[in-house]
Amino acid sequence: MDQSAANDDREDAEKRQLPTVATENDRNGASEASGNDLTSKKQQGQEFEQQRVEALKATREALYQRCREKLQALDELKVRLAEKGTPAQSANPSSRSKQLDILRTEEQRLRYHVQRLKASKHTVFDELPEVTRLRVNQSVQDSIHGYEIGTPLLKAELEETKQELAAENQTLKESLEIKEALNARLSDLAKAIEKGTSQESSQGRQKLLEARLQVQELMRELTGFLNAHYPPIQPDDDDPAAFQLKNILEDIMNLSVSSPGDPYLVLERGSYYPPHIEQLINAGIAVRHPRDAQRLRLVDFYS
C-alpha cells in the first residue's frame, strides 16, 4: 500500500513538471519564429506571385478550353444537321432557319472570344473577381516598388538642390558685401572729388583774380608808356583830329580776344594814322591780311 502511494506521488510530480517543459518549448518556438519572420514574408511574397501567375494561366486555359468545347459542339451540330438530309428541312423550314441563325450567332460570338484570347495571352475578364483582385494587388505592389525606387532618387536630388541653394545664398551674401564696399568707396570718391573740385575751383578763382590784376597792371604800364613816348599827333593844323597809337593797339587787342576766329581790324581811311600802322608792323606787333592790305590783326604770340 505504501508502494502504491509512492507511485502516485511520482506520477503527480511528473504531471507538475510537464507544463514547465511545454512553456520552455513554446519560448523556443517563438524565438525561432521571430528569427525567421523576414524569410517567411519573403517566401510568402514569392508564393503569392507564383500563385497569381498560375491563376492567370489557369484562367486563360479554362477560357480557351471552354471556347474550344463550344466550337466542337457547334461543329457536331452542323454535322448532325447535315446528316438528317432534305426531309427535315422541308418538314419545318422556319424552325430549321431559326436554329441555323442561332447557331451562326453563337459561332460568331465564340470565334470572337477565341480571337481575343489568341491576340492577348494575359487578357483578364471583369467577371472573374479573383483575377481582378490579383491584378489590383499587383498594380499596387508595382506602384509601391516604383515609389521605393524613386524616393531615394528624389531625396538625393532634393539634397543636391539644397546644397546648390546654400551655395547661391553664400554667393549672394558675398555679392551684397562687395556691393556695400563699392558703394562706400564710391561715396568716398565722390566726397573726395567734390572736395578736390571745390579746392580747385577756389584755386582757379584765385588764379583768375591774380591774372586779371596782372593784366590790369600791365595795361596801366602800357598806357603810361604810350602816353609818354607816343603822344597824340595832329597831322593837319586845320584839322583838329588827333591820332594816338594806343587807340589802334587797343582795337586789335580787343578783337584778338572777342573774335579769335576773325581778329582782323578793317582800316578805314582817316580813322588811323598810317605811320602808326607801319610802326606796329615793323615792330612785329601787328600783321596785315595776306590778301587784303586794309585789314590788320595782332600777332599770335602764343602759336
Side-chain angles (χ1 to χ4, degrees):
M1 186 172 184
D2 294 335
Q3 187 176 0
S4 63
N7 292 331
D8 294 333
D9 293 335
R10 282 195 300 274
E11 292 177 357
D12 294 335
E14 291 175 356
K15 290 179 180 180
R16 284 193 298 272
Q17 291 175 357
L18 287 174
T20 302
V21 175
T23 303
E24 293 177 354
N25 292 332
D26 293 338
R27 282 199 291 273
N28 292 332
S31 63
E32 292 177 357
S34 61
N36 297 329
D37 188 15
L38 297 175
T39 305
S40 62
K41 288 183 178 180
K42 185 176 180 180
Q43 291 177 355
Q44 289 178 1
Q46 293 177 354
E47 291 176 358
F48 176 77
E49 182 67 20
Q50 187 175 1
Q51 290 176 1
R52 186 182 71 83
V53 174
E54 291 178 356
L56 289 173
K57 290 181 179 180
T59 303
R60 182 179 63 82
E61 293 295 336
L63 291 174
Y64 185 74
Q65 188 63 31
R66 188 186 304 172
C67 292
R68 295 279 297 179
E69 291 176 356
K70 292 288 186 179
L71 288 174
Q72 289 178 0
L74 182 61
D75 293 336
E76 291 177 358
L77 288 174
K78 286 182 178 181
V79 172
R80 291 176 184 176
L81 290 173
E83 291 177 352
K84 287 182 179 181
T86 308
Q89 295 178 358
S90 61
N92 193 359
S94 61
S95 176
R96 174 65 176 172
S97 177
K98 289 180 181 180
Q99 289 179 359
L100 288 175
D101 293 338
I102 293 171
L103 290 174
R104 289 193 186 96
T105 304
E106 185 67 18
E107 180 183 6
Q108 291 178 357
R109 187 179 67 82
L110 292 174
R111 290 188 183 279
Y112 173 72
H113 284 294
V114 170
Q115 290 177 359
R116 288 185 61 187
L117 289 173
K118 288 180 179 180
S120 177
K121 295 182 179 180
H122 301 286
T123 303
V124 180
F125 298 94
D126 295 336
E127 61 266 14
L128 299 175
E130 182 65 22
V131 175
T132 303
R133 186 178 65 82
L134 292 174
R135 184 175 61 182
V136 172
N137 290 337
Q138 180 63 26
S139 177
V140 172
Q141 289 180 0
D142 292 340
S143 299
I144 293 173
H145 182 65
Y147 291 145
E148 290 177 352
I149 295 175
T151 300
L153 297 177
L154 291 175
K155 288 182 178 179
E157 186 177 356
L158 179 61
E159 187 66 24
E160 183 179 357
T161 304
K162 288 182 179 179
Q163 293 177 0
E164 292 179 356
L165 181 60
E168 292 294 335
N169 288 332
Q170 183 65 25
T171 304
L172 179 60
K173 183 179 178 181
E174 294 175 357
S175 300
L176 291 175
E177 292 177 354
I178 294 172
K179 180 182 177 182
E180 292 178 357
L182 291 175
N183 288 333
R185 178 61 178 166
L186 184 61
S187 178
D188 294 340
L189 290 174
K191 291 179 180 178
I193 292 172
E194 183 178 358
K195 184 177 180 181
T197 304
S198 178
Q199 292 179 354
E200 291 178 358
S201 178
S202 178
Q203 294 175 359
R205 287 194 296 269
Q206 184 66 25
K207 291 180 179 180
L208 181 61
L209 180 60
E210 293 177 356
R212 286 180 178 176
L213 292 175
Q214 187 177 3
V215 168
Q216 290 177 1
E217 182 66 22
L218 290 174
M219 291 301 295
R220 279 196 298 269
E221 293 179 359
L222 179 61
T223 302
F225 176 81
L226 292 174
N227 290 332
H229 297 281
Y230 296 95
I233 296 176
Q234 185 178 0
D236 191 357
D237 295 335
D238 297 334
D239 189 359
F243 299 98
Q244 294 185 5
L245 180 61
K246 68 177 182 180
N247 291 336
I248 187 171
L249 185 60
E250 183 179 357
D251 290 340
I252 60 177
M253 289 176 64
N254 290 334
L255 286 173
S256 66
V257 175
S258 61
S259 301
D262 186 16
Y264 287 95
L265 174 67
V266 179
L267 301 175
E268 296 180 358
R269 184 178 299 274
S271 298
Y272 302 99
Y273 188 51
H276 287 166
I277 296 173
E278 295 299 331
Q279 189 174 5
L280 292 174
I281 294 173
N282 294 330
I285 297 174
V287 64
R288 293 182 184 275
H289 192 278
R291 291 188 298 273
D292 189 357
Q294 297 301 317
R295 299 180 70 184
L296 185 72
R297 70 174 177 83
L298 185 68
V299 173
D300 190 3
F301 296 100
Y302 300 100
S303 60

